[in-house]
């Protein structure tokens, strides 16, 4: 958990390297007031979201390149991807989480914890990775399972679509399916329909062209479309996962401060940006409160409410509830 201790005379610094995400600092009375949770979260997103999105794009590109056209032809003829491909994807995502995403989760959780610590300048905040590790252990296995299973269902749905509605050869199917690796089921089906639209439009515009030429042109267009879909999905996942980690860090820091007697009972508050990008779901929740371990009205204990949600959690101490203040 996040650690709070009473500040000692003179500064103490974290023994970790200078470029570590947070260093120990002694809060002083003349320091500016802590930033809002929105400012901290958005600062975290601005810094880390592009990098995390690039990580995902690189992962999907590697998975696409690793698949041979022979494997994709076999999957098309079989009607679904093989267990070998599924197991390879599971391994890829597990390595990705451990080697890339875990570090970003940790940094986002620490950004939130530092914001909580800044509200209590009389105490020295000692950075700890325990809250981030606890979050990672609980969430990482679920994420690996969900994204791998979703990827499997997406490719299988595209195979079923082409098998049932479009006359494509196994070779054509392999060429079309390969750029879809990493997309969701709705995205692959949208891509398949786009391929069909482009192919038909090309045939109508060039009635003398060979069907193979129209298929190639359509596949090239669908591959470019898949690139745009991948970028959208990468940004979406990056924002969602960073927001999850940020709010987990804020929750862990607050619970730890409570356990150590620095603050009393708290309620968590749903905060939104209240701008034109705020969705109706989050707009209704803005300012709503719940006890620390209770669910909000949408049935969630913690943010985000949905993929790409930008809402942070804030905590308000209930007056006169800290009966055993830390000394």
């Amino acid at each position: 958990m996040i650690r709070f201790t009473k500040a000692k005379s003179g500064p103490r610094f974290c023994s970790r390297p200078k470029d570590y995400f947070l260093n120990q600092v002694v809060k002083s009375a003349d320091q500016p007031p802590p930033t809002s949770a929105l400012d901290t979260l958005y600062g975290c997103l601005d810094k880390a979201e592009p990098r995390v999105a690039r990580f995902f794009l690189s992962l999907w590109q590697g998975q696409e390149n690793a698949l041979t056209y022979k494997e994709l032809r076999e999957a098309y003829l079989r009607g679904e991807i093989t267990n070998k491909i599924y197991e390879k994807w599971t391994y890829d995502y597990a390595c990705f989480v451990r080697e890339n995403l875990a570090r970003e989760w940790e940094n986002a959780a620490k950004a939130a914890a530092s914001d909580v610590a800044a509200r209590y300048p009389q105490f020295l905040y000692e950075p700890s990775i325990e809250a981030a590790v606890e979050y990672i252990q609980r969430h990482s296995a679920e994420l690996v399972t969900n994204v791998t299973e979703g990827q499997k269902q997406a490719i299988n749905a595209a195979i079923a679509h082409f098998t049932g509605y479009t006359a494509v050869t196994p070779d054509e199917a392999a060429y079309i399916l390969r750029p879809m690796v990493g997309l969701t089921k709705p995205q692959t089906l949208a891509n398949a329909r786009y391929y069909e639209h482009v192919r038909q439009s090309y045939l109508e515009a060039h009635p003398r062209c060979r069907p193979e030429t129209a298929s190639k042109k359509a596949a090239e267009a669908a591959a470019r479309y898949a690139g745009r879909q991948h970028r959208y999905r990468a940004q979406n996942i990056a924002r969602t996962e960073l927001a999850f980690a940020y709010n987990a860090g804020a929750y862990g820091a607050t619970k730890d401060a409570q356990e150590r007697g620095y603050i009393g009972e708290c309620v968590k508050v749903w905060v939104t940006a209240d701008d034109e990008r705020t969705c109706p779901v989050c707009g209704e929740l803005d300012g709503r409160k719940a006890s620390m371990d209770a669910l909000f009205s949408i049935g969630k204990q913690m943010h985000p409410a949905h993929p790409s949600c930008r809402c942070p959690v804030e905590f308000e101490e209930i007056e006169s509830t800290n009966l055993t203040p830390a000394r």
Side-chain angles (χ1 to χ4, degrees):
M1 298 294 291
I2 307 302
R3 303 302 183 206
F4 289 80
T5 59
K6 203 110 180 228
K8 297 181 179 179
S9 60
R12 289 171 56 196
F13 299 96
C14 182
S15 60
R16 297 183 185 270
K18 290 182 179 180
D19 60 352
Y20 199 73
F21 187 77
L22 291 172
N23 288 325
Q24 285 188 5
V25 291
V26 175
K27 316 298 181 184
S28 60
D30 58 352
Q31 282 185 320
T35 57
S36 69
L38 274 172
D39 290 336
T40 307
L41 175 58
Y42 287 1
C44 179
L45 292 177
D46 288 343
K47 181 177 181 180
E49 187 180 302
R51 181 171 60 250
V52 176
R54 287 194 299 270
F55 287 159
F56 274 101
L57 291 172
S58 178
L59 169 67
W60 294 327
Q61 186 64 57
Q63 290 180 330
E64 178 184 331
N65 293 338
L67 272 177
T68 67
Y69 286 111
K70 179 181 177 181
E71 289 175 316
L72 287 169
R73 284 195 300 271
E74 291 175 351
Y76 181 70
L77 292 171
R78 174 191 176 101
E80 61 181 2
I81 66 166
T82 64
N83 289 334
K84 179 181 177 182
I85 295 174
Y86 181 82
E87 290 169 1
K88 178 63 167 60
W89 286 347
T90 302
Y91 177 78
D92 289 343
Y93 279 111
C95 291
F96 174 79
V97 167
R98 183 176 63 251
E99 298 170 5
N100 295 291
L101 197 53
R103 180 174 61 252
E104 303 299 334
W105 277 334
E106 178 185 326
N107 289 345
K110 286 182 177 178
S114 68
D115 190 44
V116 173
R119 302 180 189 183
Y120 306 97
Q122 69 272 32
F123 298 110
L124 177 68
Y125 171 59
E126 298 179 350
S128 167
I129 66 171
E130 291 181 30
V133 168
E134 180 182 352
Y135 171 78
I136 291 167
Q137 290 175 341
R138 185 174 67 251
H139 184 65
S140 60
E142 177 184 353
L143 178 66
V144 169
T145 299
N146 288 344
V147 295
T148 307
E149 185 63 28
Q151 192 161 299
K152 171 185 174 182
Q153 292 176 4
I155 297 298
N156 287 347
I159 291 173
H161 180 88
F162 286 120
T163 302
Y165 299 99
T166 307
V168 299
T169 68
D171 285 340
E172 289 173 335
Y175 190 57
I176 300 166
L177 291 170
R178 198 178 189 193
M180 294 183 182
V181 173
L183 299 181
T184 65
K185 181 177 177 179
Q187 285 178 320
T188 60
L189 293 177
N191 195 282
R193 289 190 290 269
Y194 179 72
Y195 165 84
E196 294 162 358
H197 170 74
V198 173
R199 185 179 185 278
Q200 185 61 34
S201 298
Y202 193 86
L203 286 172
E204 292 174 358
H206 305 85
R208 295 185 179 181
C209 81
R210 299 172 61 187
E212 294 83 358
T213 301
S215 296
K216 182 179 179 180
K217 293 291 186 181
E220 291 171 350
R224 292 191 293 271
Y225 179 35
R228 297 192 296 272
Q229 290 175 304
H230 276 116
R231 289 190 290 275
Y232 174 80
R233 188 181 185 216
Q235 182 183 43
N236 195 6
I237 296 177
R239 183 171 300 163
T240 304
E241 289 302 317
L242 290 168
F244 260 122
Y246 173 90
N247 288 306
Y251 180 82
T254 303
K255 290 286 282 187
D256 192 65
Q258 287 179 310
E259 292 172 4
R260 293 175 174 271
Y262 299 139
I263 57 177
E265 294 180 19
C266 291
V267 293
K268 54 192 178 188
V269 185
W270 197 289
V271 180
T272 72
D274 194 23
D275 57 18
E276 69 281 357
R277 295 172 60 191
T278 301
C279 71
V281 173
C282 294
E284 286 292 322
L285 288 168
D286 188 34
R288 296 289 180 88
K289 299 180 181 181
S291 59
M292 288 291 287
D293 297 318
L295 302 179
F296 284 100
S297 59
I298 60 170
K300 286 182 173 287
Q301 185 182 27
M302 193 60 62
H303 308 48
H306 51 77
S308 207
C309 179
R310 303 172 299 142
C311 296
V313 63
E314 286 188 344
F315 299 92
E316 290 184 2
E317 184 178 11
I318 301 173
E319 293 184 8
S320 304
T321 59
N322 190 3
L323 304 179
T324 58
R327 297 181 179 180

